[in-house]
């Protein structure tokens, strides 16, 4: 029965969304189970934090390599392989008898997520014509909102009813469905011409990203000691070596084709992805702590306070994507980023030592509207002019920058949070007052980077819409590519 949907763009979108949903869900669902995992496995807090960070670390490090592999070996094959690895690792996580086994299984989960994540964007862009990609990416963004909303809430329900191991087992039916659909409805798109693979480039990129990501992610835990700074310096040196190596391989299937950055929009929007990721983690991390440590809300209730933002983002995303297809993304992005900055400022201004939860609803609605108007156009416009043969590499670069932005945001806001809170408490201030002063300081980070992202929209190049409009609805994915407007 499913065979009749083979190659159908919407069936492909559903399949990609299932895989993408799993990977995002596992970035958030684990946090709420930390106390239960510590008790059940006899783990230290540091070991349990590695259950969270190990997944994100492997994911960030391998995205560029996985994106290029998709170009060479076929994105459907890499997506299916990623789903298999991720689902099997989820079972291993659920069966883990000790913290080391769980950390190792989470690392394998990160490998599976890295294999499948870049392929989702590549396949969506391959099966949808240029003038409908914004709509498709809007749905893709809606799935991101759903995963963000579901993580803390679903994790809390599972932990309190059937136990923490089910936060991993819940991936199994989703993974099996995604695998079946991938094999039955997703076309075997082969966009890469070269069959060589840049092994030295993989080693340099992996080592560089590992040093940089680990250093930024763990710097606060190790008080930014000399060892952390040495690691960051080594990562920067390896990154420079990687770029020099790539410059000499541009005619032999490089991991990062420099031709991608000849399109100004791809370069600007890739930087914007990092800034938005920094802003999102820079808001959610301290605000969640405020809700739980100052207002005394449970983790589940704190997640529900932020639920309006995710719900509005999910509702607005598809419409924003469709509007970007019609009028272009530049001004829509500026409006969305401006609304997000206003929403962050409103949240902080409303926050007090005893603010009722419902007082945050208007501000969370504004942040949701801003993100809903940002995610879909940002992703669609970044990929709009990318040649199909480079789609995997472009997606890998874009997703890697996104992950690094999140890590940088977490490291920066973590340092600000710890330093300012300690300074305020040292003056004898009550904890609630000290944390509110800290929240006001940390809010400066997401607001500043969102304003920079909004201003960077002025650098985006517009393209005449009328030429793109000539592409028929059923045109190939590349139709109107060069004429699509921003």
């Amino acid at each position: 029965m499913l065979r009749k949907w083979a190659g159908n763009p919407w069936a492909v979108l559903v399949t990609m969304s299932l895989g993408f949903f799993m990977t995002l869900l596992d970035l958030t669902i684990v946090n709420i189970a930390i106390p239960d995992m510590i008790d059940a496995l006899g783990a230290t807090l540091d070991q349990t934090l590695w259950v969270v960070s190990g997944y994100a670390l492997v994911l960030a490090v391998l995205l560029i390599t996985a994106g290029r592999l998709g170009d060479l070996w076929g994105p459907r094959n890499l997506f299916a392989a990623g789903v298999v690895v991720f689902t099997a690792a989820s079972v291993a996580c659920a069966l883990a008898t000790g913290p080391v086994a769980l950390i190792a299984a989470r690392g394998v989960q990160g490998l599976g997520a890295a294999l499948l994540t870049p392929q989702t964007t590549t396949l969506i862009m391959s099966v949808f014509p240029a003038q409908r990609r914004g709509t498709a990416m809007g749905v893709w963004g809606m799935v991101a909102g759903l995963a963000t909303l579901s993580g803390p809430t679903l994790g809390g329900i599972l932990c309190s009813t059937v136990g923490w191991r089910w936060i991993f087992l819940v991936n199994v039916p989703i993974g099996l469905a995604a695998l079946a659909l991938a094999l039955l409805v997703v076309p075997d798109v082969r966009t890469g011409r070269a069959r060589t693979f840049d092994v030295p480039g993989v080693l340099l990129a992996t080592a560089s990203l590992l040093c940089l990501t680990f250093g930024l992610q763990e710097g606060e835990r190790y008080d930014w000691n000399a060892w952390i700074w040495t690691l960051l310096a080594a990562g920067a040196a390896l990154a420079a070596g990687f770029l020099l190596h790539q410059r000499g391989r541009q005619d032999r299937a490089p991991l990062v084709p420099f031709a991608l950055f000849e399109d100004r929009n791809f370069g600007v929007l890739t930087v914007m992805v990092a800034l938005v990721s920094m802003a999102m983690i820079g808001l959610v991390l301290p605000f969640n702590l405020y809700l739980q440590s100052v207002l005394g809300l449970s983790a589940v209730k704190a997640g529900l306070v932020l639920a309006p933002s995710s719900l509005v983002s999910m509702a607005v995303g598809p419409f924003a994507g469709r509007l970007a297809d019609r009028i272009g993304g530049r001004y829509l992005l500026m409006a969305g980023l401006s609304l997000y900055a206003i929403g962050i400022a409103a949240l902080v201004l409303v926050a007090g030592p005893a603010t009722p939860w419902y007082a945050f609803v208007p501000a969370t609605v504004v942040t949701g509207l801003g993100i809903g108007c940002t995610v879909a156009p940002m992703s669609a416009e970044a990929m709009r002019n990318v040649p199909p043969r480079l789609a995997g590499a472009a997606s890998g670069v874009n997703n890697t920058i996104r992950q690094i932005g999140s890590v940088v945001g977490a490291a920066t806001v973590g340092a600000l949070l710890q330093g300012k809170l300690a300074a305020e408490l040292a003056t004898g201030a009550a904890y609630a007052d000290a944390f509110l002063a800290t929240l006001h300081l940390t809010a400066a980070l997401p607001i500043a980077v969102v304003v920079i992202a909004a201003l960077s929209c002025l650098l985006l190049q517009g393209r005449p819409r009328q030429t793109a409009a000539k592409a028929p609805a059923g045109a190939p994915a590349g139709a109107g590519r060069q004429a699509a407007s921003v």
Side-chain angles (χ1 to χ4, degrees), residues 114-133:
L115 290 174
L116 74 88
T117 297
Q119 321 314 327
T120 61
T121 310
T122 302
L123 286 163
I124 290 170
M125 293 299 168
S126 296
V127 299
F128 279 90
Q131 67 273 19
R132 293 169 60 196
R133 289 177 189 160

Side-chain angles (χ1 to χ4, degrees), residues 82-105:
V83 170
V84 170
V85 171
F86 189 93
T87 307
S90 297
V91 175
C93 287
L95 298 178
T97 56
V100 174
L102 182 56
I103 292 169

Side-chain angles (χ1 to χ4, degrees), residues 300-320:
V300 176
K301 289 181 179 178
L304 290 175
V305 169
L306 292 171
S309 180
S310 295
L311 288 171
V312 172
S313 175
M314 287 164 52
V316 169
F319 297 101

Side-chain angles (χ1 to χ4, degrees), residues 4-29:
K4 69 178 182 180
W5 294 98
N8 182 283
W10 295 104
V12 173
L13 179 59
V14 168
T15 307
M16 298 301 102
S17 297
L18 281 174
F20 189 50
F21 178 86
M22 281 197 312
T23 63
L24 289 181
L25 185 69
D26 267 52
L27 280 171
T28 58
I29 198 172

Side-chain angles (χ1 to χ4, degrees), residues 194-287:
R195 292 296 167 186
T196 59
F197 189 59
D198 183 8
V199 175
V202 168
L203 295 176
L204 284 169
T206 301
S208 171
L209 289 169
L210 182 61
C211 291
L212 292 172
T213 308
F214 182 89
L216 290 168
Q217 191 167 273
E218 304 299 316
E220 193 65 30
R221 192 182 306 179
Y222 293 101
D223 290 327
W224 298 99
N225 59 23
W227 182 72
I228 289 292
W229 286 110
T230 300
L231 204 61
L232 292 173
L238 287 165
F242 171 74
L243 292 175
L244 287 172
H245 173 73
Q246 292 298 288
R247 187 175 69 175
R249 277 195 62 99
Q250 289 303 299
D251 58 344
R252 291 174 291 153
L255 280 179
V256 179
F258 290 174
L260 291 172
F261 297 95
E262 292 174 3
D263 175 22
R264 183 197 294 179
N265 288 357
F266 179 83
V268 171
L269 287 163
T270 297
V271 173
M272 191 184 296
V273 161
L275 293 174
V276 171
S277 296
M278 287 178 63
M280 292 178 72
I281 198 73
L283 168 65
V284 172
L285 180 60
F287 192 67

